[in-house]
Amino acid sequence: MSEPYIAPSWNAVPTGTTPPAPPTLSSPRNRQKLGIAIGAGVGVVLALVGILGFWTPGFFISTIYDTGALQKGVLRVLRDNYEIAADAVACPPSVPVDEGLQFSCNALVGGQQRPVTIRVVADDGRFEVVRPQ
């Protein structure tokens, strides 16, 4: 009597041998590939943050007033439009150009400091000087 015939399967392993181990991350080649993939992903994320962050204006860029020019502009409005005999104006440094922002400057009128309210009316730098009381 002969032994029955067993057809080989695709995953059959010859008798007396062990199947090959699946690839693991412990091999240097696989770790290198994983490192390259992670590095590339991090690089793409950093590039996007950098590009979007510096886009005009972005996360990292904000427009601020030139303090000297702002003070001259407020002084001119007080003298020419409101006919107030102001001697000087002092505004805070690094005021951001953000539409809707309201801040105060101090005007020197007749030796007395008087607060002057400024409103930013547009992101292009236009502002409004509120008539002092």
Side-chain angles (χ1 to χ4, degrees), residues 2-81:
S2 67
E3 293 186 31
Y5 175 77
I6 300 174
S9 67
W10 288 103
N11 295 326
V13 177
T15 313
T17 62
T18 57
T24 64
L25 293 179
S26 63
S27 72
R29 186 170 180 96
N30 287 338
R31 274 189 262 142
Q32 182 181 19
K33 287 180 182 177
L34 179 63
I36 290 171
I38 290 172
V42 169
V44 168
V45 169
L46 289 176
L48 284 173
V49 168
I51 291 168
L52 295 176
F54 290 105
W55 203 265
T56 314
F59 307 121
F60 306 132
I61 297 176
S62 63
T63 307
I64 60 171
Y65 282 105
D66 174 310
T67 306
L70 177 64
Q71 291 171 165
K72 287 178 186 175
V74 173
L75 184 62
R76 188 173 327 129
V77 170
L78 292 175
R79 288 178 177 169
D80 298 348
N81 295 44

